[in-house]
Amino acid sequence: MKEIKAVLGPQKLAALHAALRAVPGFPGMTVSKAESYPAPSLRARTSIRQELTDHVARWRIEMVVPDEAAGPLYDAVVACLSSGAPGDSMVWISDVVRASFVHKSP
């Protein structure tokens, strides 16, 4: 199994969801609010106060998927989030050693 994670701007979430729903094997995703601090090379610093409060609202998505679905889903995320702007989004994929869907018994 693989885990696909991405951090993206709020304007991209709806498009990403639509793109992933079109991929066979899409299992759903967890979405949470996140904040990011751009790398110093991606912004102009004018004061230490701005440096300490210069964060950007983002979304973080996470999916645990079977190995055979990981490639197409990862490719769909990258294609959807590619904007050409440095630091706009980040996507990564990791191995999952063990995972379970835990259900309450009736």
Side-chain angles (χ1 to χ4, degrees):
M1 296 186 87
K2 303 288 185 197
E3 181 176 30
I4 301 169
K5 293 183 183 180
V7 177
L8 54 138
Q11 72 283 2
K12 297 273 191 166
L13 185 60
L16 178 61
H17 186 230
L20 290 173
R21 288 181 60 155
V23 178
F26 173 59
M29 63 185 173
T30 299
V31 179
S32 53
K33 290 183 179 181
E35 293 182 358
S36 67
Y37 293 85
S41 62
L42 298 178
R43 64 174 194 260
R45 181 180 152 211
T46 57
S47 70
I48 191 66
R49 181 181 177 135
Q50 185 181 20
E51 179 77 17
L52 295 173
T53 60
D54 190 21
H55 60 275
V56 180
R58 300 281 188 198
W59 289 107
R60 179 177 173 139
I61 63 113
E62 302 170 81
M63 297 179 279
V64 175
V65 302
D67 287 341
E68 59 275 4
L73 288 165
Y74 178 84
D75 292 343
V77 172
V78 170
C80 181
L81 299 182
S82 295
S83 69
D88 191 39
S89 301
M90 183 175 181
V91 183
W92 65 99
I93 190 167
S94 306
D95 288 323
V96 174
V97 177
R98 192 170 172 184
S100 299
F101 288 98
V102 182
H103 301 282
K104 182 178 179 181
S105 11

